[in-house]
Amino acid sequence: MTKTLVIAEKPSVAQDIVRALTPVAGKFEKHDDHFENDRYVVTSAVGHLVEIQAPEEFDVKRGKWSFAHLPVIPPYFDLKPVDKTKTRLNAVVKQAKRKDVTQLINACDAGREGELIFRLIEQYAGGAKPLGKPVKRLWLQSMTPQAIRDGFDALRSEQQMAGLAHAARSRSEADWLVGINGTRAMTAFNSRDGGFFLTTVGRVQTPTLSLVVEREEKIRKFVSRDYWEIHAAFQAEAGEYPAKWFDPKWKKNEDVEMRADRVWSQREAQAIADAVRGQKASVTEESKPTTQASPLLFDLTSLQREANGKFGYSAKTTLALAQSLYERHKALTYPRTDSRALPEDYVPVARQTFEMLADSSMRHLAPHARTALTNNYVRPSKRIFDNSKVSDHFAIIPTLQAPSGLSEAEQKLYDLVVRRFMAVFFPSAEYTVTTRISTAVGHSFKTEGKVLVRPGWLAIYGKEAADEVEGGKDGDKGQNLVPVKPGETVQTQQVDPKGLKTKPPARYSEATLLGAMESAGKQIDDEELREAMQEKGLGTPATRAAIIEGLLTEKYMLREGREMIPTAKAFQLMTLLRGLEVEELCRADLTGEWEFKLSQMEKGQLSRESFMADIAAMTERMVKKAKEYDRDTIPGDYATLTTPCPNCGGVVKENYRRFACVGKPGTEPCGFSFGKSPAGRTFETAEAEALLRDKKIGPLEGFRSKAGWPFTSEIVIKYDDEAHNYKLEFDFGDDKNAEESGELVEFADASLGPCPICSAGVHEHGANYVCSKAVPTAAQPTPSCTFKSGKIILQQPVEREQMHKLLETGKTDLLDKFVSMRTRRAFKAFLAWDKEAGKVNFEFAPSKFPPRKPAAGAFAGKTAAAKAPAKAAAAKKAPTKKAAATKTATAKAPRKAAAGAAPSAALAAVIGSEPVARPEAVKKLWEYIKANNLQDPKDKRTIVADDKLRAVFGKDSAGMFELAGILGQHLG
């Protein structure tokens, strides 16, 4: 009997599909790597299992950070497994290749990325020739069991998905081409003077950063101007009302600061006030009804913007919450959507959703749902139900499943979506707007009153009362106006000029940045006009949160409160790209055009070949500009520091690469300068000022060695006797000469707690926390203790209170900003005193998930006979299993190194004789070095060899950055 293989994007979705199919297709048997019954085999990926790479003959191994091998534009792309999910890939491929599996169903998420995930797995499974099995597409926009069964009844053909598949591949390849070539070219340019300055760029991330930098430049250049408003109070028979002066003849011009109600000199404002004070005024008045419709339904970007504005949630957090409500709780429809409308046949489903809400236990929402049903508000409307505005997915709305057990954050987001869903069906809010003009001695004053007559949809948000009109201000949009009889003359009472200042544009918040990305930087306030522009936006709703997070991770931006602030590194990148005239990477609207073309490709309106040719041309031009740039510096808007040159007292100015002395007026520069980006970390202007002023700064994070490893260090400016000038140096805070020189340490801070080794007090000292007996002091010139722990460990700052907690209780709180030197991924851990090792070590929180069976995570079916010895000899089998898992992958990616290699006899004496990969060997070697205190106390970056290491190094010492290369010679 033949079977159909269903491949979902995540294990949880595979389980949902099995639960939905069981009533109609029969019971499934659960295996380690899949579910199976007579008709279906259901398995899943875990996101991307395969990624594209340049073919072997086009891949650059050595010298990739130079211009010599750029641009890299391969004629086609090979595939390689994602390292951490190889075993899952092997398991999925194994099912796809089964003889009895004759058809595949792509059940990955409905969208561009889901399409790409499946297509790459299918291509990888086929190897050199296509897999050759027909494919159908399951298109799910809701995760309820009935929606899944309906999806299986309406599977889409491969031809229907061709446009989306082309767009998915093109997006992936375009990002690879621009990212690889752009990053290598800009890194090569910035590293020309030596060192390694990693400069990442991307097809979408860099134009997004450009928006933030341009806004910050406007803020920095903004010059505030004084202006005055004239506020008055008029007395009528029925009482007093406020008003504000305005010029009825004023028209908009190029000066965006100009307004009809602004006066630009105090003298003129005072003259107007004096002229009308105490005078009689005539009154004209116009009242008219107006309505305000509810906002449109949410797509992901508008939901992220609303949640950021209301709750301060980041875009990443909102996406995670919405994904959980969709996938885990089945309470929301598919969240990664760019549509704000529903299909035209969805009216009955919308009515059923209202019925569910009316009967739910949500007391704050149920009455409004009952009102909508009673008054028949749920009916066809092009504003809500419009097939032409539904792309891959429709708007985010609640499903027919009432949720339970939501977290506080999930409940807030769910309420946000439900209220918006209900509001769009409710009638418009109705107001009466009254505009009153009071004229005294030729000067006009305006009063606007806005009274809420019928709340309509605003009732859902609790705005029932007339005094809750949004945006009300005295004399501007004051709500309740006292009546004035026709022809009545009023008396001008109090009149006061009010001095104000113009304000710079606001910094981007995550909400406003998402809006700017959506409209490719065009400032569009109208919601429906912005919707028309969003096909030309930067990225897609599904990727925008990740783009923003990537810029934060790369330290191009900082998040302060709700503001997104670009760093010096961001300004330096923009200066470079503008100087090189690489417009495509700077301008949001140009890159928005690429996104628009991908959207056209999805609809079959543009060929993949045409798009990729444009991307290749853009890539070649970008590399050519960087490679051929031959001037000494890049033109830009550079700072002048206020702190004088430490060598000659001259002026220190910034240029593209350095802060340099330009001498005193009329004198030559003395030659003092220091690089703006030592070890790849760019100084903020304030940091450069502090460094010059104090001769030291830090410890600072974010430096990278030539090998790419992150490190933390203080930076000092010291006088160099040979050069007769000051120069910049790294200071790792090791107090390396203190003991030898006999210089005694005096602690200025209070003890943090007892030393776990000798019970003496522990204090701050340089970049470390040290025992008072571990350094020479007046009380004890010869150190007798070894306790020392860094104030920053793997990029995680260890605050005083955390060290105090460790000394008092044995461990810190759970800290979440460690970054592994091996994988370069962030991780969480406690710092704890390890008595056996005699040092501070990591302690990891117990997993909230139960341990997996030996083969469950691997998805690589093993026989019972194979499992038995695995339990008996787990330690010995581990490397073998790893090698076996790699074996299949090696056939697909022949250039990939073996997972483990046998160490030489000399290395085996240090780390053991088991086969091991180089990163694991480095880790074991460091454990040996730390355990035996083999770091040179004068320079922690130098390893002093004992007898065992001397056989490995072939010399008495080695630098920390030499280790990987040395180990390569000892791994067979």
Side-chain angles (χ1 to χ4, degrees):
M1 182 184 289
T2 61
K3 298 188 179 186
T4 297
L5 174 64
V6 181
I7 301 177
E9 190 165 320
K10 293 174 283 293
S12 59
V13 177
Q15 290 172 346
D16 289 337
I17 289 171
V18 167
R19 278 194 285 267
L21 290 181
T22 297
V24 294
K27 187 178 178 182
F28 283 79
E29 186 179 345
K30 187 178 187 301
H31 297 265
D32 285 335
D33 57 349
H34 63 281
F35 301 89
E36 187 167 355
N37 69 5
D38 292 341
R39 290 175 57 189
Y40 295 104
V41 179
V42 181
T43 187
S44 78
V46 279
H48 281 277
L49 302 184
V50 184
E51 57 192 0
I52 62 174
Q53 67 173 3
E56 179 74 19
E57 60 269 31
F58 296 97
D59 188 38
V60 178
K61 295 183 180 67
R62 295 188 177 276
K64 67 180 182 181
W65 299 110
S66 74
F67 285 117
H69 304 289
L70 295 178
V72 181
I73 304 178
Y76 65 94
F77 284 90
D78 276 349
L79 303 180
K80 67 172 179 177
V82 175
D83 285 340
K84 63 180 180 179
T85 54
K86 274 185 194 172
T87 49
R88 177 59 64 98
L89 174 63
N90 293 339
V92 176
V93 169
K94 178 182 173 184
Q95 300 303 321
K97 287 184 169 182
R98 279 171 49 167
K99 292 268 180 28
D100 60 340
V101 168
T102 57
Q103 178 178 260
L104 306 183
I105 291 179
N106 174 5
C108 292
D109 287 357
R112 206 189 276 168
E113 284 309 295
E115 196 67 25
L116 183 65
I117 287 168
F118 175 85
R119 297 278 176 161
L120 294 183
I121 292 171
E122 182 201 13
Q123 180 185 338
Y124 184 87
K129 58 182 182 179
L131 196 59
K133 297 182 181 182
V135 174
K136 295 284 187 181
R137 183 61 152 109
L138 176 66
W139 198 257
L140 296 179
Q141 297 181 314
S142 173
M143 287 303 294
T144 61
Q146 188 55 52
I148 292 171
R149 288 191 285 270
D150 291 345
F152 271 88
D153 291 337
L155 293 170
R156 300 185 180 187
S157 69
E158 198 162 8
Q159 290 71 32
Q160 285 176 281
M161 307 312 299
L164 185 66
H166 288 325
R169 283 185 184 272
S170 298
R171 196 277 311 153
S172 176
E173 292 175 11
D175 284 350
W176 190 97
L177 287 170
V178 176
I180 291 289
N181 287 283
T183 296
R184 290 180 182 181
M186 299 310 145
T187 300
F189 187 92
N190 278 335
S191 304
R192 272 176 167 171
D193 291 348
F196 178 74
F197 183 11
L198 180 63
T199 310
T200 58
V201 299
R203 186 183 60 87
V204 178
Q205 79 163 37
T206 306
T208 301
L209 181 63
S210 176
L211 294 174
V212 182
V213 170
E214 285 171 10
R215 175 66 59 88
E216 191 70 18
E217 286 172 337
K218 286 179 183 175
I219 293 168
R220 291 183 182 184
K221 291 175 182 175
F222 185 82
V223 178
S224 184
R225 296 156 64 185
D226 295 327
Y227 71 93
W228 285 260
E229 291 178 350
I230 302 129
H231 292 260
F234 291 93
Q235 183 69 46
E237 288 179 23
E240 191 176 273
Y241 64 89
K244 187 164 67 170
W245 177 91
F246 79 107
D247 178 2
K249 297 175 185 173
W250 180 84
K251 290 182 180 178
K252 278 188 178 180
N253 58 40
E254 291 179 1
D255 188 343
V256 294
E257 301 291 352
M258 300 294 279
R259 304 277 195 284
D261 58 4
R262 290 181 177 180
V263 175
W264 295 94
S265 81
Q266 186 176 11
R267 183 183 298 174
E268 185 185 351
Q270 192 64 53
I272 293 171
D274 293 343
V276 300
R277 190 178 292 111
Q279 300 296 319
K280 294 189 179 300
S282 60
V283 180
T284 59
E285 189 169 273
E286 182 184 3
S287 293
K288 60 182 179 182
T290 185
T291 61
Q292 181 186 355
S294 75
L296 297 170
L297 293 168
F298 283 125
D299 63 0
L300 178 58
T301 302
S302 57
L303 178 62
Q304 287 169 321
R305 295 181 69 194
E306 188 86 356
N308 183 254
K310 277 195 180 339
F311 312 129
Y313 294 165
S314 70
K316 180 183 178 183
T317 298
T318 299
L319 176 56
L321 291 170
Q323 194 72 25
S324 173
L325 287 164
Y326 159 71
E327 197 178 294
R328 184 169 158 228
H329 298 287
K330 316 295 185 290
L332 293 185
T333 55
Y334 185 77
R336 296 169 184 258
T337 175
D338 62 356
S339 176
R340 305 189 69 175
L342 298 174
E344 289 165 15
D345 61 359
Y346 227 67
V347 179
V349 179
R351 192 171 288 115
Q352 289 172 328
T353 308
F354 269 92
E355 290 166 358
M356 179 275 292
L357 294 169
D359 294 337
S360 74
S361 59
M362 294 177 281
R363 279 182 248 168
H364 60 303
L365 300 174
H368 300 302
R370 286 194 285 273
T371 299
L373 292 168
T374 303
N375 296 314
N376 194 30
Y377 288 164
V378 186
R379 48 183 181 265
S381 160
K382 269 290 183 185
R383 190 167 183 266
I384 307 168
F385 303 98
D386 187 346
N387 287 346
S388 68
K389 292 182 179 176
V390 175
S391 53
D392 301 345
H393 319 281
F394 51 75
I396 304 170
I397 62 169
T399 64
L400 297 173
Q401 193 159 314
S404 61
L406 301 184
S407 67
E408 183 186 353
E410 288 171 335
Q411 187 66 55
K412 280 183 176 179
L413 200 74
Y414 182 71
D415 281 6
L416 208 60
V417 174
V418 171
R419 286 182 197 271
R420 179 65 68 92
F421 170 71
M422 292 197 294
V424 82
F425 290 96
F426 268 58
S428 295
E430 295 180 16
Y431 298 92
T432 295
V433 176
T434 301
T435 303
R436 180 180 294 171
I437 308 295
S438 308
T439 307
V441 292
H443 291 288
S444 300
F445 291 79
K446 183 187 286 186
T447 308
E448 287 187 346
K450 190 175 183 183
V451 178
L452 184 61
V453 178
R454 286 191 181 83
W457 64 274
L458 288 174
I460 293 169
Y461 295 89
K463 292 190 177 178
E464 300 279 1
D467 61 355
E468 291 189 17
V469 174
E470 213 167 315
K473 289 188 285 184
D474 286 346
D476 187 1
K477 291 180 182 174
Q479 285 78 48
N480 292 305
L481 296 182
V482 298
V484 175
K485 295 175 185 175
E488 181 183 345
T489 300
V490 297
Q491 185 76 19
T492 310
Q493 300 284 85
Q494 188 176 349
V495 189
D496 295 305
K498 185 177 180 181
L500 299 164
K501 287 182 177 290
T502 57
K503 294 180 180 178
R507 284 195 176 107
Y508 280 112
S509 65
E510 206 151 341
T512 54
L513 182 55
L514 285 165
M517 292 173 75
E518 189 176 41
S519 58
K522 292 180 171 58
Q523 298 306 306
I524 300 170
D525 295 323
D526 183 82
E527 204 168 62
E528 298 193 25
L529 182 57
R530 193 188 305 116
E531 183 192 11
M533 265 297 299
Q534 69 182 15
E535 280 194 336
K536 294 192 177 186
L538 288 173
T540 65
T543 61
R544 285 174 191 141
I547 290 161
I548 292 172
E549 289 298 322
L551 289 169
L552 291 164
T553 301
E554 287 294 335
K555 301 291 189 290
Y556 281 124
M557 295 192 311
L558 302 173
R559 188 189 273 124
E560 285 190 9
R562 295 192 183 184
E563 292 184 331
M564 313 301 282
I565 302 175
T567 62
K569 182 180 178 183
F571 280 95
Q572 192 170 9
L573 176 61
M574 287 304 130
T575 298
L576 173 60
L577 296 178
R578 290 167 186 166
L580 297 179
E581 298 176 348
V582 187
E583 286 185 322
E584 293 90 338
L585 278 180
C586 291
R587 282 180 50 191
D589 55 342
L590 283 179
T591 307
E593 289 289 336
W594 298 112
E595 208 67 48
F596 176 61
K597 289 180 179 180
L598 287 169
S599 175
Q600 285 184 307
M601 198 184 303
E602 288 181 17
K603 298 167 188 169
Q605 297 168 358
L606 179 72
S607 75
R608 172 164 147 72
E609 292 72 24
S610 170
F611 176 82
M612 292 311 299
D614 285 348
I615 289 287
M618 168 187 171
T619 302
E620 287 176 335
R621 180 179 174 278
M622 175 175 61
V623 172
K624 187 170 185 282
K625 286 276 188 180
K627 191 184 287 189
E628 295 179 358
Y629 192 87
D630 57 359
R631 280 168 277 172
D632 290 337
T633 188
I634 300 282
D637 185 12
Y638 296 117
T640 299
L641 301 188
T642 57
T643 308
C645 168
N647 193 49
C648 72
V651 176
V652 177
K653 285 190 173 184
E654 176 191 13
N655 59 42
Y656 179 68
R657 297 187 188 276
R658 308 185 72 77
F659 288 99
C661 174
V662 295
K664 295 177 181 177
T667 66
E668 289 294 312
C670 70
F672 168 76
S673 73
F674 61 93
K676 279 169 62 175
S677 304
R681 184 198 185 280
T682 304
F683 283 119
E684 299 291 334
T685 305
E687 290 175 338
E689 291 273 19
L691 178 60
L692 276 187
R693 183 183 64 246
D694 304 330
K695 303 291 192 296
K696 72 172 186 176
I697 190 170
L700 302 176
E701 303 173 60
F703 298 107
R704 285 181 182 271
S705 70
K706 289 183 180 180
W709 297 108
F711 68 92
T712 300
S713 178
E714 287 190 351
I715 289 188
V716 297
I717 291 179
K718 289 185 175 179
Y719 191 76
D720 184 336
D721 292 324
E722 288 183 17
H724 303 296
N725 210 326
Y726 283 83
K727 69 175 185 178
L728 182 147
E729 289 183 0
F730 288 103
D731 184 347
F732 292 93
D734 294 321
D735 317 304
K736 46 196 173 188
N737 297 317
E739 188 174 346
E740 290 185 4
S741 66
E743 186 179 334
L744 301 180
V745 175
E746 288 185 30
F747 296 112
D749 65 321
S751 170
L752 287 157
C755 169
I757 296 176
C758 71
S759 299
V762 171
H763 298 265
E764 279 190 64
H765 182 51
N768 299 294
Y769 297 108
V770 301
C771 173
S772 59
K773 293 185 177 179
V775 292
T777 62
Q780 183 178 312
T782 303
S784 62
C785 184
T786 59
F787 178 81
K788 178 163 65 172
S789 184
K791 285 155 78 173
I792 296 178
I793 298 174
L794 293 184
Q795 302 189 52
Q796 165 72 60
V798 182
E799 305 296 344
R800 281 181 62 90
E801 55 266 30
Q802 291 299 334
M803 180 50 63
H804 172 71
K805 191 163 191 173
L806 185 148
L807 297 172
E808 294 293 335
T809 67
K811 70 177 180 180
T812 65
D813 294 332
L814 187 66
L815 305 177
D816 61 0
K817 292 186 175 64
F818 294 107
V819 178
S820 166
M821 286 186 70
R822 186 168 64 86
T823 66
R824 306 192 192 180
R825 294 196 184 97
F827 66 91
K828 300 178 183 178
F830 301 95
L831 289 177
W833 175 249
D834 186 336
K835 189 174 180 181
E836 191 175 324
K839 63 179 180 178
V840 173
N841 248 333
F842 295 116
E843 184 178 302
F844 296 96
S847 174
K848 59 184 176 181
F849 301 107
R852 292 187 293 186
K853 294 176 185 175
F859 258 40
K862 290 178 172 61
T863 64
K867 290 180 185 175
K871 290 180 181 176
K876 290 183 181 179
K877 289 292 288 179
T880 313
K881 278 163 65 180
K882 191 170 184 181
T886 312
K887 191 173 180 182
T888 308
T890 307
K892 308 299 174 194
R895 70 186 191 86
K896 194 73 181 176
S904 67
L907 184 58
V910 178
I911 67 169
S913 58
E914 295 289 350
V916 64
R918 189 183 303 190
E920 188 63 25
V922 172
K923 182 182 175 185
K924 288 186 174 185
L925 189 61
W926 266 110
E927 288 170 355
Y928 180 84
I929 291 164
K930 294 280 189 183
N932 291 280
N933 284 325
L934 296 177
Q935 285 175 276
D936 187 342
K938 296 179 182 180
D939 181 2
K940 293 291 185 182
R941 292 170 293 179
T942 300
I943 315 305
V944 180
D946 60 6
D947 289 341
K948 288 183 180 179
L949 283 188
R950 200 171 286 109
V952 176
F953 293 172
K955 52 186 177 180
D956 291 334
S957 65
M960 62 189 290
F961 301 122
E962 294 181 69
L963 296 184
I966 291 171
L967 288 183
Q969 302 165 23
H970 290 271
L971 292 172

